[in-house]
Amino acid sequence: MANLTVLSLQLTDALAMISVLQANVNDLSTQYTAVSTDLSTQYNESLDTIWMLICGYLVWFMSAGFCFLEMGSVRVKNSQNILSKNLIVPIVAFLCWYVMGYALAFGVTETPNKFIGGTYFVLYGFGDNLQQLRRWFFQGAFCDTSASIVSGGVAERMTFFGYVVHTVIMTAFIYPVCVYWAWSGSGWLNYSEDGGVKYKSTIGPAYQDWAGSGVIHLVGGVAALCGAIVVGPRKGRFVEDAKQEDFLPHSVPFTVLGTFILWLGWYGFNPGCVAGLHTDMQAYTAANALVNTTLAPCAGGLVAWLLRRYVLAPYIFDVPALCNGVLAGLVAVTAGSGFVKHWEAIIIGALAGVFYCWSAKLLTKLQIDDPIDAVSVHFTNG
């Protein structure tokens, strides 16, 4: 009996120890789950931030593409003027985006309206919110791009001071308001009344624009068209006895280089709108946007080049038209690059090449002087 009692006590102690060990294991498991979740969150945030920064760098570098494209497309005597305008755009754009642009575009208040944002002025309220900071930079590069479009439409005519004033108005108010309408989630073109389950607009289905064919390029193209009409044509541009050869691009190599830089920047423009890269679906969407951003400009450039060579006078191998056809394809596919199929992107790009050529001829007939064909590329295809 004594031995049985001892064994019973030992068994009781062993069971108690097992219970303690089980509690410790459960505690360690809980701690591991918490640490693992925290590390996973940090990893996802870091990966998303790296992705957004890289894409933002590419979009920002498009400013260099605009510089080369526009400088090569104007007369040599105006090259420094066009360079100074393209350099001042990111300077003014990011300052305006900091002070009030981002607030008007994405500053959704607690009781939002459908027209304009009203918080985050000078980034007040950001704190250490990493998502807001990277979003500010990436969307700021978009703001810069929208303003840069206009310089081509008014090239060789608008004064430097006048262009700075326009850039301030464009980046501090016009573009941010349009962004709020379409991308804030509370604007009249795309809002929800059921907590984000279903989106709509005040006129019907919700407006969808993946990376800004309308929000960025159409807005910039409309501003370029208005500017070209207001400042009028260059002296002698539409005079019958004037030498039109005097208005040809002075450096086609610079134009081609600018096109390549812009095309490279578009690989940040469209895939970057995934806004992250830590899930399989995000990676697939980014890859799909990447493929579409490659195919559409190929089709657009080829169609524009063939039309200028075999269909439209003066029936020449027009390299600037080839460049603008590529850009037209990029602009057109931007709206759906994240979700259209590859063959659809080719069709979109091909149609963009046709629309570009048609628009350029129409503007010439209407005597609207657009030295860079900014209106035909961005407005018509946006």
Side-chain angles (χ1 to χ4, degrees):
M1 291 295 294
N3 291 334
L4 290 175
T5 302
V6 172
L7 288 174
S8 177
L9 291 174
Q10 291 177 347
L11 181 60
T12 301
D13 292 341
L15 292 174
M17 291 178 64
I18 291 173
S19 298
V20 172
L21 289 173
Q22 183 65 45
N24 290 335
V25 169
N26 292 337
D27 184 53
L28 289 173
S29 177
T30 301
Q31 293 181 25
Y32 171 79
T33 301
V35 171
S36 178
T37 301
D38 183 57
L39 289 175
S40 178
T41 300
Q42 293 183 29
Y43 173 81
N44 291 342
E45 284 293 325
S46 299
L47 185 61
D48 291 347
T49 299
I50 292 171
W51 172 249
M52 292 299 294
L53 288 178
I54 292 174
C55 292
Y57 298 154
L58 289 172
V59 176
W60 180 87
F61 192 63
M62 291 173 75
S63 295
F66 281 113
C67 280
F68 281 107
L69 176 70
E70 295 178 14
M71 181 185 67
S73 299
V74 300
R75 292 171 289 183
V76 65
K77 66 178 182 178
N78 292 312
S79 57
Q80 289 197 31
N81 179 268
I82 203 74
L83 287 174
S84 63
K85 289 177 180 176
N86 276 279
L87 183 59
I88 201 65
V89 169
I91 295 173
V92 173
F94 272 102
L95 288 174
C96 291
W97 191 244
Y98 167 75
V99 173
M100 62 183 294
Y102 186 88
L104 301 185
F106 294 103
V108 179
T109 60
E110 293 182 0
T111 55
N113 62 79
K114 292 182 175 61
F115 180 76
I116 196 169
T119 186
Y120 298 136
F121 292 97
V122 295
L123 308 191
Y124 181 78
F126 266 35
D128 57 355
N129 190 321
L130 188 60
Q131 294 181 359
Q132 290 281 24
L133 290 171
R134 66 180 182 237
R135 187 188 197 188
W136 178 89
F137 172 69
F138 185 75
Q139 291 292 339
F142 276 9
C143 180
D144 171 27
T145 299
S146 183
S148 296
I149 293 169
V150 185
S151 62
V154 298
E156 302 191 89
R157 288 154 294 170
M158 182 177 281
T159 65
F160 182 79
F161 177 76
Y163 186 72
V164 171
V165 173
H166 149 266
T167 303
V168 171
I169 298 172
M170 184 77 177
T171 57
F173 184 76
I174 296 176
Y175 173 76
V177 170
C178 293
V179 170
Y180 184 87
W181 292 350
W183 284 345
S184 69
S186 298
W188 67 274
L189 287 176
N190 193 332
Y191 67 94
S192 173
E193 295 179 338
D194 54 11
V197 176
K198 184 178 180 180
Y199 283 86
K200 61 180 181 179
S201 71
T202 56
I203 56 176
Y207 174 78
Q208 295 188 53
D209 188 350
W210 174 258
S213 285
V215 176
I216 298 172
H217 297 283
L218 179 59
V219 171
V222 168
L225 176 61
C226 293
I229 293 173
V230 170
V231 299
R234 290 167 290 179
K235 185 177 181 180
R237 175 65 178 88
F238 296 111
V239 177
E240 291 185 3
D241 57 349
K243 293 182 179 180
Q244 295 305 313
E245 293 80 6
D246 295 339
F247 298 95
L248 293 176
H250 89 273
S251 178
V252 174
F254 278 148
T255 301
V256 173
L257 177 59
T259 301
F260 273 118
I261 294 175
L262 288 170
W263 195 345
L264 174 65
W266 242 286
Y267 287 129
F269 210 99
N270 292 346
C273 285
V274 176
L277 205 67
H278 68 271
T279 67
D280 292 343
M281 182 55 67
Q282 288 176 324
Y284 169 79
T285 304
N288 188 62
L290 189 70
V291 173
N292 292 334
T293 305
T294 302
L295 293 176
C298 293
L302 182 61
V303 168
W305 183 67
L306 291 174
L307 287 175
R308 287 298 181 95
R309 176 63 181 88
Y310 297 106
V311 179
L312 302 173
Y315 310 105
I316 60 174
F317 291 117
D318 193 340
V319 176
L322 172 59
C323 292
N324 283 325
V326 167
L327 297 177
L330 287 166
V331 169
V333 82
T334 296
S337 58
F339 47 81
V340 299
K341 295 179 175 61
H342 307 152
W343 61 269
E344 293 173 329
I346 294 175
I347 295 175
I348 290 171
L351 291 175
V354 175
F355 293 151
Y356 156 69
C357 292
W358 168 80
S359 176
K361 287 293 184 181
L362 178 62
L363 290 180
T364 301
K365 186 175 182 179
L366 296 175
Q367 296 191 355
I368 298 175
D369 191 10
D370 182 7
I372 321 296
D373 283 341
V375 176
S376 298
V377 170
H378 299 278
F379 169 74
T380 305
N381 292 287

